[in-house]
Amino acid sequence: MKKILLTGALGQIGSELTMKLREVYGTDNVIATDIRESDSEVVKGGPFEILDVTDAQKMHDLTKKHDADTIIHLAALLSATAEKKPLLAWNINMGGLVNALETARELGCQFFTPSSIGAFGPSTPKDATPQDTIQRPTTMYGVNKVSGELLSDYYYSRFGVDTRGLRFPGLISYVTQPGGGTTDYAVEIYYEAVKKAAYTSYIGEGTYMDMMYMPDALNAVIDLMEADPAKLKHRNSFNVTAMSIAPETITEEIRKHIPEFELSYDVDPVRQGIAESWPNAIDASAASEEWGFKAEYDLAKMTKDMLDKVK
Ligand code: VAH
């Protein structure tokens, strides 16, 4: 049975992935860690440790103490925050990743860390973005994600660490709101629709980005980590997506449930610039072919579920 140590357990992905993994593998087999405590189910409902991922020794010691055979490394600063504090983002995103990879190498753990559509840049083909293509991101977050992909592939080819990763699109969820991302607008819009039947978007009209509902993201992590390694032609990291949407397309869908919903724009040049440097719609056929990736939620199904849950 897998014994998993997860970093960033109180974040947008971590707070749901921890609960899902505990359901699948057993509560005591999933050790959640984060830089601070909270009164959430993640902390109260199973093994929890305080861990600053820039502390290499503690990362090693906790993994050894719990005899973990799998590391899921999520702790990171997201794109918009990383543009405000690029050096801090480098230190946390790359320092934390190296510590996690080194621990996985030393203790023989399987390894997962997310990449992102942020690993692509303005010179990447914007539509049907291929699995293998040019990656010259112009954000610190993107530099971190491309470096992370290359480093994770290196640990696989040089040291035999079973590293695997997903290039996540924007993730939409209702349990823990994201912090410091560029795609956060696609989460905020649902909360504001329920609260005020109105939302002012910091991302401009016609700005398409890949998105996915959190349940599909959680299943993708588990399916990838359970996949037969012999079938994997790629490892770090697979394109995955469920839909390509813009503020006005989400609005159209929300209006089917809240007809009076009003959308306005107050574009944030920094996050708009980041969004425009990313693809409009990526191609996820490698993930489908190599380990059976399939998203269950489209925009209509996600919108119905989000509005029900946020209410
Ligand atoms: C961000 N939510 O906005 C993250 C993600 C593709 C977007 O990487 O930075």
Side-chain angles (χ1 to χ4, degrees):
M1 177 55 83
K2 271 187 191 299
K3 195 92 183 277
I4 302 165
L5 183 122
L6 189 144
T7 73
L10 298 178
Q12 182 195 13
I13 300 173
S15 58
E16 296 201 52
L17 186 55
T18 300
M19 304 315 287
K20 177 82 177 178
L21 291 170
R22 284 177 175 166
E23 248 175 64
V24 173
Y25 297 108
T27 298
D28 294 340
N29 292 319
V30 182
I31 298 88
T33 74
D34 207 302
I35 197 162
R36 69 183 67 78
E37 297 244 22
S38 84
D39 62 355
S40 79
E41 199 45 35
V42 164
V43 178
K44 293 186 303 193
F48 180 84
E49 300 271 13
I50 295 281
L51 172 63
D52 175 342
V53 293
T54 60
D55 181 343
Q57 192 58 55
K58 184 136 188 218
M59 174 98 75
H60 183 282
D61 295 349
L62 287 179
T63 305
K64 198 167 174 62
K65 167 186 168 187
H66 292 279
D67 197 20
D69 59 23
T70 303
I71 293 177
I72 293 187
H73 178 59
L74 305 176
L77 296 186
L78 297 184
S79 56
T81 305
E83 280 314 292
K84 285 189 194 128
K85 304 173 184 167
L87 207 52
L88 178 66
W90 176 267
N91 291 335
I92 293 175
N93 293 352
M94 301 319 295
L97 178 61
V98 168
N99 292 343
L101 283 165
E102 271 297 282
T103 299
R105 180 184 64 78
E106 288 156 357
L107 300 176
C109 302
Q110 189 187 24
F111 186 85
F112 174 88
T113 199
S115 181
S116 159
I117 58 173
F120 297 120
S123 53
T124 302
K126 287 223 174 288
D127 295 301
T129 306
Q131 175 63 42
D132 300 307
T133 186
I134 188 163
Q135 293 178 257
R136 302 288 295 179
T138 50
T139 64
M140 172 53 85
Y141 180 73
V143 168
N144 297 158
K145 288 303 178 186
V146 170
S147 309
E149 291 186 9
L150 296 172
L151 202 55
S152 298
D153 272 350
Y154 177 80
Y155 268 73
Y156 170 66
S157 55
R158 177 73 173 67
F159 301 117
V161 179
D162 182 359
T163 59
R164 306 181 190 195
L166 297 170
R167 287 178 189 141
F168 276 138
L171 297 180
I172 292 160
S173 63
Y174 56 83
V175 173
T176 304
Q177 293 213 31
T182 297
T183 59
D184 299 359
Y185 90 90
V187 177
E188 294 167 3
I189 195 168
Y190 287 104
Y191 282 85
E192 296 299 294
V194 169
K195 233 171 15 192
K196 301 189 300 192
Y199 179 65
T200 301
S201 172
Y202 60 76
I203 292 291
E205 185 170 12
T207 310
Y208 281 83
M209 287 186 272
D210 285 284
M211 301 278 178
M212 187 151 76
Y213 199 29
M214 186 61 80
D216 282 330
L218 305 182
N219 288 330
V221 175
I222 293 170
D223 292 349
L224 172 61
M225 293 300 272
E226 294 285 357
D228 174 1
K231 294 218 175 72
L232 299 181
K233 299 192 197 84
H234 297 84
R235 281 178 168 269
N236 303 283
S237 300
F238 285 91
N239 287 0
V240 284
T241 183
M243 61 193 90
S244 170
I245 51 180
E248 66 272 22
T249 50
I250 306 178
T251 295
E252 208 178 306
E253 200 57 42
I254 289 175
R255 282 189 179 140
K256 292 177 186 170
H257 305 270
I258 307 175
E260 69 278 17
F261 177 68
E262 284 300 320
L263 173 71
S264 57
Y265 295 95
D266 179 11
V267 175
D268 164 14
V270 172
R271 286 181 286 184
Q272 182 65 24
I274 294 173
E276 287 174 1
S277 76
W278 292 350
N280 299 324
I282 64 176
D283 172 73
S285 50
S288 307
E289 283 153 21
E290 297 178 35
W291 50 274
F293 168 69
K294 186 177 175 314
E296 300 300 322
Y297 285 83
D298 61 9
L299 178 58
K301 194 174 169 190
M302 174 178 75
T303 298
K304 183 176 180 335
D305 197 58
M306 267 299 278
L307 292 175
D308 289 348
K309 295 289 193 321
V310 168
K311 275 177 195 147

